[in-house]
Amino acid sequence: MNALLKRIWIGLAATLIVSLAAVVMPDHIQVGDDGRIRLGAPAPTPSPSAAVSTPEATSPPLTRDAVDEVIRTAVGAAGLDPAQGRPTGAAGADSNRTGWMAVREKTAAQAEMNAICADLERQGWTLNPNGDRADASRSYKRGGWYLLVSTRGKAQTPSPTSALTDSQTYLTLTGLQLNLSDIPLPEITVRIG
């Protein structure tokens, strides 16, 4: 009985690890035809019919200042004044975090979020739909940066003194610089079943 329980726990732990990895780095999970799951960057296999790389693969790295300008442009395209919100990232061009936030009426926030997202796509940002909810948040990637556009209520309250009314929400753009390709992943093969 102990051996059976041990195998069940190992299987559950392996499933949890694979699930978390699939959420964080969906490009690094491969499932074989035989049911084996392989973690790690896929080995490069040149193919004569290889597709042209996506714009993200050839996007040059963006600077913090460039991302700040992208955010200001997208906010302005939604008909908002960037100065009426407030920055959410630490000052300094060497920072790998940036953002903007404003308190908005819930009735207008969804349309404003949609306009911001449309402008990000116009500027060449690639939609990264893993885990997004079209009515509450969308994420984009480009040049080593990820942008999350969100209309979330009181869960993201920045301080106890800035309470929202029932008709208000936060409209936020959060930028984070990540280079996941520099993180070495071990090659792990898991056989379930």
Side-chain angles (χ1 to χ4, degrees):
M1 185 68 172
N2 267 347
L4 176 62
L5 286 174
K6 185 176 180 180
R7 291 186 78 181
I8 290 172
W9 280 111
I10 290 172
L12 289 173
T15 303
L16 176 65
I17 290 169
V18 169
S19 298
L20 290 173
V23 169
V24 174
M25 294 174 283
D27 297 337
H28 295 289
I29 306 295
Q30 296 86 42
V31 180
D33 294 334
D34 60 354
R36 290 180 184 243
I37 300 167
R38 187 171 158 269
L39 304 177
T45 54
S47 167
S49 63
V52 177
S53 61
T54 63
E56 171 59 22
T58 60
S59 291
L62 295 175
T63 64
R64 157 74 187 271
D65 290 338
V67 175
D68 285 339
E69 184 58 32
V70 164
I71 290 172
R72 282 190 295 275
T73 302
V75 168
L80 301 170
D81 180 2
Q84 289 182 341
R86 69 177 186 92
T88 59
D94 60 344
S95 176
N96 61 358
R97 299 185 75 164
T98 188
W100 178 88
M101 178 179 62
V103 175
R104 305 298 302 153
E105 291 297 317
K106 286 180 181 177
T107 55
Q110 184 65 48
E112 292 164 349
M113 183 179 113
N114 291 340
I116 288 170
C117 291
D119 191 69
L120 289 175
E121 290 173 19
R122 181 196 61 77
Q123 291 186 57
W125 288 75
T126 304
L127 181 65
N128 186 25
N130 296 330
D132 286 357
R133 290 182 33 211
D135 62 331
S137 67
R138 291 187 209 138
S139 61
Y140 293 87
K141 59 183 177 178
R142 182 174 166 218
W145 283 83
Y146 290 80
L147 277 179
L148 176 67
V149 185
S150 175
T151 58
R152 301 279 174 131
K154 298 180 182 184
Q156 291 186 348
T157 303
S159 72
T161 60
S162 60
L164 295 174
T165 67
D166 289 338
S167 67
Q168 294 177 323
T169 188
Y170 289 108
L171 177 59
T172 61
L173 276 82
T174 304
L176 182 62
Q177 185 179 28
L178 293 173
N179 191 353
L180 298 178
S181 63
D182 288 345
I183 300 173
L185 291 175
E187 291 194 22
I188 301 170
T189 302
V190 179
R191 173 110 171 121
I192 300 174

